[in-house]
């Protein structure tokens, strides 16, 4: 019986493989190459991923800079991103930026949000983090968790728990790039603004005295202060910078996904943090790299594997990088001197 | 000729491009008092770290009591019979002195966790013996009344002694002391010197000593090895070392030597 | 022999408390008391990891979840039929339930201990902050996993768990974990854990296998978190993954930190305070989380060592101070 049915068994195996391949696009590309998804679809996903990644990079930069100078994981950073979106929301309504949309008003909204969050970051650092700088690392971690809870729940009381809808201060326009791939003007703006801000940050860190001071403080507080650097001022400056970048991220995302609510910073905060760890926490180019990797990975996983895994991919990446190379892609392992 | 207690054969430690220790040969006989000296950065503490397993040599081998200890983790090497003190004091600050010494006896405990939790007789006996021995060791080091004081509250000189008491508690056959006289005034150094010599006789252990205080080194060491930039440049008894031109040069620089030659 | 008598005596006292209490206070307060007890077990078990050994574990709710679901699944699958069988054979119901509950709790604890082992072992190479991140990630992954596994109810939750837990069981659990912690602390193994916290390099150099002990701390801590989870499951009768979120982990951390890291009595006091306080603050429910957050921040700024620091509540010291006070 088995001998005569050999041909049928082979046929069964093939059709089973085809069935599996139907359900998983990635498998489809491997097992049934003639029905692989088109290149244009992949490019589109790539564009989406890079756009998403640039926002993650903006937020990740804040995490990495604060960790670099304070060895503190600023749990509240994701909530500053949320504040940015809300500051932008209220200022957009104040300036009437949605009534007659124009780029100047949109820019004003962005700047207002960034300045507002810069101030917020400054306050948080002075009031909550500076007093515990001398205490243990765990104390600082718990303070950060407390600030995060405060911002989320305080935001819920202040803004109300129901989501608000960010006004269209830049009306959507899709720009075809040929071959079925399009990019929206919003995505272009997101990319332009984030890359611009990242470039500005790079300039500050590498080409200004303050930037040099920041790098010095990240190596050693004591040595830096012995060189005449006011560690307190540099720490404040770093917090302000990081918060402004996060605010920009919040505004840019609100352009694309207008629904904003007090807990919107939780998931992006975690993902951006993972991105920072991925690139090497404390390492600025690493944060940018990590952000883009995170964004692209997320979009590709959602598009080609399964949409329900979108939030899980961050944790998977986290576990993998911590087990394989804890110092991160661009990080260096600094061993303790015995 | 008796076999050496500790033998390093062509041990090299390389960090990236830097050779911290280069082709080191060292033999420590049992029960001896051996000194390791050299200018700052010569690699002396690195040698300690290699012997105690904090680092694994990039090349060469280390044998203790004729068995290789290459690649073993520090706690395993401690259990084999090598304990140490540290250049920067590393006491368990939140624990009292007696507890600090008791912890070092941990490797000799026979009572398991279940015994501890259920408070069996085996646990009670074990614990009593440990506390007793800890008190004895404290007294040997002159810290008898400080048993209940928190280690962090001890004056500096006593902290150094506590570190030694702690290292002794592990019942080592080789004791590594990393700059035990650092920060002590001349009188304290003198006392420490006699104490260390006494320890050797009392417990029959070999002691390897890193020190900068030449009085201590020349005073008690039987043999001395000199390290400079990771390389052993001299070895011998104190008299030989004192007169060795290479040693003088390493510590004081070439100019002095040249100046000596011209006068 | 003497110890066995002590044990029986303790159980008798607990049984008495469990008998009298419902007749003295209403059901609402009884419920708070049980929740206090569960949180005491959680806080004291986390104290083994964070307080004794100095490891940054911030995903404790994950271990609790594993234990809760593990125990519940055992009861629903096997335990209930055991009870039915025993009762049919003439065993009084409370005793049959007690046996089944004990087994379920131990199984929940063991499953959680395995999870603790799996999390602890690879993470030990990581520096403090990284360990915190991994434990956080683990806690979240557990929650997401449970959400997506239909067999344990997924997002809807797990229903129909028999309610077998009363104050008695919770008190037994709490007493057990406190005694274990105390005995451990005053033994060479506890000292090894403290040594690791104070200076890991020195501990290793003196013969303490730091990896073994760090993993041990994780396994013990997660075992008891699992027991707490099992008690929780058999008290509520129903489980939902949202009960085991990062917020729950933070609540437990807050208890350990408020009490003083390393202090067993501190963890007990703080657990009771932080369980009872939100109930007292119920009228200002909306502001509850804000007040909670403020408390955390203010505590860290003003008294980071917590209520007890690293000291313990001890009768001899209390008496000494009263004598000194009276003499002055």
């Amino acid at each position: 019986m088995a001998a005569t049915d050999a041909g049928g068994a082979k046929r069964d195996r093939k059709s089973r493989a085809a069935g599996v391949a139907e359900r998983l696009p990635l498998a489809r590309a491997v097992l049934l190459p003639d029905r692989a998804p088109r290149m244009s679809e992949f490019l589109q996903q790539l564009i989406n991923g890079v756009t998403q990644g640039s926002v993650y990079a903006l937020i990740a930069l804040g995490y990495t800079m604060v960790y670099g100078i304070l060895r503190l994981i600023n749990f509240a950073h994701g909530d500053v991103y949320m504040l940015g979106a809300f500051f932008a929301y209220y200022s957009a309504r104040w300036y009437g930026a949605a009534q007659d949309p124009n780029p100047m008003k949109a820019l004003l909204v962005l700047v207002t949000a960034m300045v507002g969050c810069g101030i917020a970051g400054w306050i948080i650092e002075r009031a909550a983090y500076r007093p515990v700088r001398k205490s243990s690392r765990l104390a600082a971690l718990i303070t950060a968790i407390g600030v995060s809870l405060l911002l989320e729940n305080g935001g819920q009381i202040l803004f109300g728990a129901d989501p608000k809808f960010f006004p269209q201060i830049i009306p959507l326009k899709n720009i075809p790039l040929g071959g079925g791939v399009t990019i929206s003007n919003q995505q272009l703006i997101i990319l332009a603004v984030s890359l611009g801000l990242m470039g500005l940050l790079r300039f500050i860190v590498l080409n200004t005295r303050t930037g040099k001071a920041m790098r010095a403080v990240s190596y050693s507080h004591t040595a830096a202060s012995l060189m005449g650097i006011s560690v307190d001022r540099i720490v404040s400056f770093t917090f302000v910078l990081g918060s402004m970048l996060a605010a920009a991220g919040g505004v840019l995302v609100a352009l694309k996904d207008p629904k904003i609510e007090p807990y919107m910073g939780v998931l992006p905060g975690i993902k951006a943090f993972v991105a920072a760890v991925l690139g090497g926490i404390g390492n600025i180019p690493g944060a940018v790299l990590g952000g883009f990797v995170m964004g692209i990975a997320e979009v590709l996983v959602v598009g080609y594997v399964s949409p329900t895994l979108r939030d899980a991919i961050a944790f998977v990446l986290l576990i993998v990088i911590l087990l394989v190379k804890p110092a991160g892609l661009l990080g260096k392992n600094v061993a303790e001197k015995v | 000729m008796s076999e050496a207690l500790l033998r390093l054969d062509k041990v090299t430690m390389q960090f990236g491009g830097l050779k911290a220790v280069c082709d080191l040969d060292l033999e420590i006989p049992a029960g001896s008092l051996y000194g390791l000296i050299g200018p700052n950065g010569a690699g002396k503490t690195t040698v300690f770290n290699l012997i105690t397993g904090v680092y694994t040599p990039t090349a060469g081998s280390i044998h203790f009591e004729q068995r290789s200890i290459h690649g073993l983790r520090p706690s395993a090497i401690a259990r084999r019979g090598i304990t140490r003190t540290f250049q920067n004091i590393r006491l368990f600050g939140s624990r009292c002195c007696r507890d600090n010494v008791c912890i070092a006896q941990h490797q000799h405990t026979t009572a398991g966790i279940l015994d501890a939790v259920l408070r069996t007789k085996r646990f009670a006996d074990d614990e009593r013996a440990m506390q007793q021995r800890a008190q004895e060791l404290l007294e040997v080091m002159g810290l008898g009344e400080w048993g209940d004081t928190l280690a962090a509250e001890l004056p500096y000189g006593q902290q150094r002694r506590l570190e030694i008491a702690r290292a002794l508690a592990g019942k080592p056959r080789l004791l590594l002391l990393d700059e035990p006289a650092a920060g002590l005034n001349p009188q304290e150094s003198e006392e420490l010197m006699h104490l260390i010599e006494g320890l050797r006789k009392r417990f029959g252990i070999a002691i390897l000593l890193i020190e900068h205080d030449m009085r201590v080194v020349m005073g008690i060491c039987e043999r001395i090895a000199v390290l400079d930039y990771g390389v052993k440049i001299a070895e011998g008894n104190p008299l030989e070392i004192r007169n060795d031109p290479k040693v003088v040069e390493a510590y004081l620089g070439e100019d002095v030597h040249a100046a000596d030659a011209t006068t | 022999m003497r110890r066995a008598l002590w044990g029986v005596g303790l159980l008798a006292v607990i049984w008495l408390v469990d008998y009298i209490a419902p007749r003295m206070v209403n059901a609402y307060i009884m419920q708070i008391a049980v929740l206090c007890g569960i949180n005491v077990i959680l806080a004291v078990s986390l104290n083994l990891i964070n307080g004794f050994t100095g490891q940054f574990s911030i995903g404790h709710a994950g271990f609790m979840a594993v234990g809760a679901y593990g125990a519940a699944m055992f009861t629903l699958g096997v335990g209930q039929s055991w009870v039915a069988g025993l009762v049919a054979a003439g065993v009084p119901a409370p005793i049959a339930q007690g046996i089944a509950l004990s087994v379920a709790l131990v199984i929940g604890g063991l499953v959680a201990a395995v999870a603790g082992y799996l999390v602890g072992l690879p993470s030990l190479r990581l520096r403090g902050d990284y360990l915190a991140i991994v434990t956080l990630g683990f806690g979240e992954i557990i929650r997401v996993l449970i959400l997506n596994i239909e067999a344990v109810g997924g997002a809807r939750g797990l229903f129909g768990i028999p309610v077998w837990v009363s104050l008695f069981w919770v008190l037994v659990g709490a007493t057990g974990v406190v005694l274990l912690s105390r005995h451990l602390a005053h033994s060479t193994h506890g000292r090894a854990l403290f040594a690791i916290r104070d200076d890991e390099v020195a501990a290793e150099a003196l013969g303490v296998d730091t990896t073994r002990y760090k993993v041990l701390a994780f396994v013990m801590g997660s075992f008891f978190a699992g027991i707490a989870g099992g008690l929780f499951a058999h008290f509520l009768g129903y489980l939902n993954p949202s009960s085991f979120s990062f917020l729950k982990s933070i609540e437990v951390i807050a208890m350990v930190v408020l009490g003083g890291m390393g202090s067993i009595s501190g963890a007990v006091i703080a657990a009771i305070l932080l369980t009872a306080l939100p109930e007292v603050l119920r009228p200002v429910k909306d502001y509850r989380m804000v007040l909670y957050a403020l408390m955390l921040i203010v505590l860290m700024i003003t008294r980071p060592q917590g209520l007890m620091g690293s000291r313990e509540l001890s009768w001899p010291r209390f008496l000494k101070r009263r004598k000194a006070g009276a003499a002055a």
Side-chain angles (χ1 to χ4, degrees), chain C residues 105-162:
Chain C
L105 287 178
V106 169
I107 289 186
L110 286 175
V111 180
V114 168
Y117 183 79
L118 291 175
V119 172
L121 199 52
S123 325
L124 293 175
R125 302 181 283 135
L126 305 175
R127 269 199 338 252
D129 295 338
Y130 289 132
L131 183 62
I133 301 164
V134 166
T135 53
L136 167 61
F138 163 76
E140 284 303 287
I141 288 178
I142 288 287
R143 194 178 55 82
V144 168
L145 272 177
I146 295 177
L147 263 173
N148 284 298
I149 298 180
E150 276 313 306
V152 295
R156 283 175 298 115
L158 189 63
F159 292 84
I161 309 171

Side-chain angles (χ1 to χ4, degrees), chain A residues 234-258:
Chain A
I234 295 297
V235 170
S236 291
F237 181 76
T238 310
F239 261 89
V240 168
L241 262 189
S243 304
M244 289 172 82
L245 290 176
V251 176
L252 292 173
V253 164
L255 273 184
K256 202 162 48 89
D257 307 317

Side-chain angles (χ1 to χ4, degrees), chain C residues 206-218:
Chain C
L206 292 172
V208 174
D209 187 335
T210 54
T211 302
R212 180 164 169 257
Y213 275 88
K214 287 198 279 189
V215 172
L216 189 71
F218 260 94

Side-chain angles (χ1 to χ4, degrees), chain A residues 133-147:
Chain A
R133 215 187 287 166
K134 299 285 185 299
S135 307
S136 72
R137 294 261 280 283
L138 194 60
L141 204 70
I142 293 172
T143 309
I145 294 177
V147 173

Side-chain angles (χ1 to χ4, degrees), chain A residues 6 8 21 28 51 58 62 66 77 117 126 142 157 202 235 286 299 303:
Chain A
R28 190 161 66 209
T51 314
L58 280 180
V66 167
H77 193 58
C117 282
R126 286 304 304 274
I142 293 172
I157 295 178
R202 185 191 157 84
V235 170
V299 166

Side-chain angles (χ1 to χ4, degrees), chain A residues 200-256:
Chain A
L200 194 60
L201 180 73
R202 185 191 157 84
F203 178 78
I204 293 177
V205 170
L206 290 180
N207 295 75
T208 66
R209 284 184 58 192
T210 316
K212 199 181 279 189
M214 281 170 70
R215 281 177 285 145
V217 172
S218 77
Y219 282 118
S220 162
H221 284 217
T222 327
S225 69
L226 286 174
M227 297 291 126
I229 296 175
S230 163
V231 172
D232 283 344
R233 280 213 353 223
I234 295 297
V235 170
S236 291
F237 181 76
T238 310
F239 261 89
V240 168
L241 262 189
S243 304
M244 289 172 82
L245 290 176
V251 176
L252 292 173
V253 164
L255 273 184
K256 202 162 48 89

Side-chain angles (χ1 to χ4, degrees), chain B residues 10 19 181 225:
Chain B
K10 298 223 164 312
K19 270 201 180 144

